[in-house]
Amino acid sequence: MEREPTRKPKLREMLEACRFDQDDLAQPEMRELAETLAASPQWRGLFERLQLFDAAASAAFRDVPVPDGLQERILARLAVEDGPRDVANSEPVVARNGQGAGETPSGTLRTSRRRWLLAASGLAAAAAGLLWGVFGLFSPVESISRAELIAAAIERFVNEPAERGQVLAASPSRFPLSEALVALTSGQIAVIRWRPVNDFFGAEVDAFDLIGSQGRVATVYAGRFAVEGLPAEVPPRPMLSTAETSASAWREHDVVYVLVVEGGDRAYERLVGVGAGPLA
Amino acid sequence: MDIVQLVAEHHQAVYGYAYRLTGRAADAEDLTQQVFLKAQARIGQLRNVSSARSWLFSILRRRFLKMTHQRKPIPATLLDLNVESIPARPPNAEEIDREALQRALDELPPAHRMVVTMFYYEQCSYREIAEKLDVPIGTVMSRLARAKAHLRATLLAADAAGDGHIARKRAIMQG
């Protein structure tokens, strides 16, 4: 290799920046490199090796395994951000169904938003609003999808300040804590604290913080919501996970519970007893 | 194009880019979600569907640069400019140790990590990088050269420490 050119930092920088598949060498600022390559077989050899290395590195850079369920989690997060506004518009949604072909631009926007809400939840969302008026089973809270409910709980869990609630035994909670959950988590929870949450999809709910030896392990939100498709017992596996939380929902009698666990799927399964097998 | 379509078509590429920049799966996923949240809020700005990926990448770069929880990088002044680290026989893509690659990236200062990721992952030319980051061409060339040399040196060191896994992989692949 010729010693002189390699001592010129600018020339070495040009060499590194140049891509053979583009017209980089034709650019005025690359003229010195183009001349050097034309004059020096050693530099051409170096350039060719570098291009081969760059091609391999590019392929390696793009080889990133994508975690399972990422798309669903992104859509669920988007639903959380925009969902409450859509829920707030649930009456116009019902009215729109009868409008027929004359869809307005804002109607198109709402339809689009609705589309991703459906995609996020994986459920047929709406109709519950109608069921609501017909059956009047619950307190007057907007109908929501299961995914919206869980995603909202996760959002609250992640962002709410770590306020200290009252010890459960002395609390004036409005809803009972799920006895099934208490039984499943016994031995892992040091204390359960209660606190009221006054605006959860426009409803009042109770939050029960499950505290372990290292701090909060999970929070259970209990309230009355018009949500379809909920199981009648604590789900053994989470229904929705983010990078750092996992959550599920179920209904016992007329109370809906949403459990948000600190940690991924395994943390959830460990808490409710699924992953608590014998140690290897 | 609506947001569902945007997520379906580009979430993998955005995640891959975010992973290379952040070096942690959890951070990459959070960053990916932030990108699509921003995209959702500004989807009206997307005029040309064919430039959707480039648009998402530009959101990602801005979000990444705003992140403050970067690990301690190598000071830029310690990065060598060394073309001698170009191996006599460059490896194939399969032969590059992915963990060592990410480790080397994580060690770079964010500005260097950004340009080398734009070069390798996004396939940008040095001119495009300069334009997109709004920095002089000479700065891009300097950062790129040092970042690439650091990656190569780390990969070669990893190979040497790993008892020449590139050579072993070659032997396996050649039967």
Side-chain angles (χ1 to χ4, degrees):
Chain A
M1 184 178 302
E2 294 169 3
R3 298 294 301 165
E4 190 57 30
T6 58
R7 287 194 187 133
K8 298 177 82 171
K10 283 287 169 206
L11 204 54
R12 288 185 289 179
E13 288 176 5
M14 287 179 206
L15 187 79
E16 295 278 13
C18 195
R19 306 187 79 105
F20 76 96
D21 56 347
Q22 305 201 16
D23 61 350
D24 288 356
L25 279 174
Q27 301 301 327
E29 63 270 12
M30 287 287 193
R31 195 175 64 194
E32 188 181 355
L33 178 64
E35 289 170 358
T36 304
L37 290 174
S40 167
Q42 289 91 341
W43 269 75
R44 279 201 301 278
L46 189 63
F47 182 63
E48 283 165 14
R49 286 190 347 250
L50 183 58
Q51 297 300 316
L52 286 173
F53 182 89
D54 284 349
S58 276
F61 255 73
R62 289 165 163 256
D63 179 22
V64 178
V66 176
D68 290 340
L70 175 65
Q71 184 176 352
E72 290 74 20
R73 291 195 292 278
I74 294 169
L75 291 170
R77 176 83 183 270
L78 295 175
V80 171
E81 294 299 313
D82 212 26
R85 292 206 298 277
D86 195 75
V87 170
N89 290 334
S90 61
E91 271 197 39
V93 169
V94 174
R96 227 179 24 250
N97 289 339
Q99 282 179 350
E103 203 169 42
T104 63
S106 73
T108 308
L109 182 65
R110 283 182 190 150
T111 305
S112 170
R113 187 186 293 162
R114 187 137 212 84
R115 210 185 126 209
W116 63 251
L117 271 172
L118 288 171
S121 63
L123 300 168
L130 267 173
L131 287 174
W132 195 247
V134 174
F135 298 107
L137 292 174
F138 307 99
S139 60
V141 179
E142 298 282 1
S143 63
I144 49 180
S145 74
R146 188 173 72 172
E148 283 177 297
L149 179 72
I150 295 172
I154 290 175
E155 191 76 2
R156 184 173 281 277
F157 179 84
V158 170
N159 294 318
E160 67 193 355
E163 56 186 77
R164 190 178 167 87
Q166 299 179 34
V167 174
L168 179 62
S171 80
S173 67
R174 292 159 289 201
F175 304 102
L177 177 57
S178 163
E179 288 180 11
L181 181 68
V182 172
L184 286 170
T185 59
S186 65
Q188 301 177 67
I189 303 304
V191 63
I192 299 174
R193 292 185 178 277
W194 167 87
R195 56 194 162 82
V197 176
N198 292 323
D199 184 16
F200 193 103
F201 274 118
E204 293 182 344
V205 304
D206 288 331
F208 301 95
D209 294 321
L210 311 187
I211 316 290
S213 56
Q214 305 289 318
R216 184 172 70 162
V217 174
T219 294
V220 193
Y221 299 92
R224 290 196 173 90
F225 293 99
V227 186
E228 291 183 285
L230 290 180
E233 54 191 26
V234 184
R237 296 200 161 69
M239 296 170 170
L240 185 63
S241 300
T242 67
E244 291 172 355
T245 59
S246 47
S248 71
W250 71 98
R251 185 195 306 281
E252 291 179 27
H253 306 294
D254 63 343
V255 180
V256 170
Y257 295 96
V258 189
L259 170 65
V260 185
V261 177
E262 188 86 52
D265 293 6
R266 286 192 176 180
Y268 178 98
E269 290 165 8
R270 224 174 11 249
L271 180 67
V272 301
V274 175
L279 291 173
Chain B
M1 174 174 277
D2 66 20
I3 192 70
V4 173
Q5 208 178 339
L6 207 60
V7 171
E9 290 183 13
H10 301 294
H11 75 278
Q12 292 182 333
V14 171
Y15 175 84
Y17 203 152
Y19 181 78
R20 288 296 176 221
L21 288 176
T22 63
R24 285 187 65 229
D27 288 346
E29 181 159 342
D30 286 345
L31 186 54
T32 302
Q33 294 194 355
Q34 286 178 35
V35 168
F36 284 106
L37 283 171
K38 186 62 80 175
Q40 175 180 242
R42 297 184 175 177
I43 198 156
Q45 295 177 0
L46 180 60
R47 301 278 176 236
N48 185 356
V49 173
S50 64
S51 63
R53 181 164 298 191
S54 173
W55 179 62
L56 291 169
F57 284 172
S58 68
I59 296 173
L60 187 151
R61 285 193 299 271
R62 280 196 294 273
R63 303 299 296 180
F64 170 71
L65 289 175
K66 283 184 181 170
M67 289 169 69
T68 53
H69 60 279
Q70 292 132 352
R71 272 140 278 158
K72 284 183 182 173
I74 297 173
T77 49
L78 295 185
L79 290 171
D80 279 337
L81 178 61
N82 182 8
V83 290
E84 277 74 26
S85 65
I86 301 168
R89 188 178 170 193
N92 297 320
E94 302 77 38
E95 295 168 339
I96 291 179
D97 183 332
R98 304 300 196 262
E99 285 181 22
L101 173 66
Q102 192 58 50
R103 198 165 58 242
L105 262 178
D106 294 346
E107 289 170 350
L108 290 170
H112 290 67
R113 202 182 320 163
M114 180 73 80
V115 293
V116 81
T117 305
M118 291 176 78
F119 185 84
Y120 281 134
Y121 190 92
E122 203 176 347
Q123 305 275 304
C124 289
S125 71
Y126 67 91
R127 283 182 156 241
E128 288 169 329
I129 296 171
E131 189 181 331
K132 288 179 177 182
L133 296 181
D134 195 22
V135 295
I137 282 175
T139 305
V140 171
M141 285 186 180
S142 171
R143 288 177 184 170
L144 199 49
R146 284 164 175 76
K148 287 174 68 180
H150 176 69
L151 292 190
R152 285 195 305 267
T154 305
L155 290 173
L156 288 176
D159 185 46
D163 200 18
H165 81 276
I166 290 178
R168 277 188 283 113
K169 278 188 182 174
R170 276 209 177 113
I172 291 167
M173 288 163 74
Q174 288 168 359

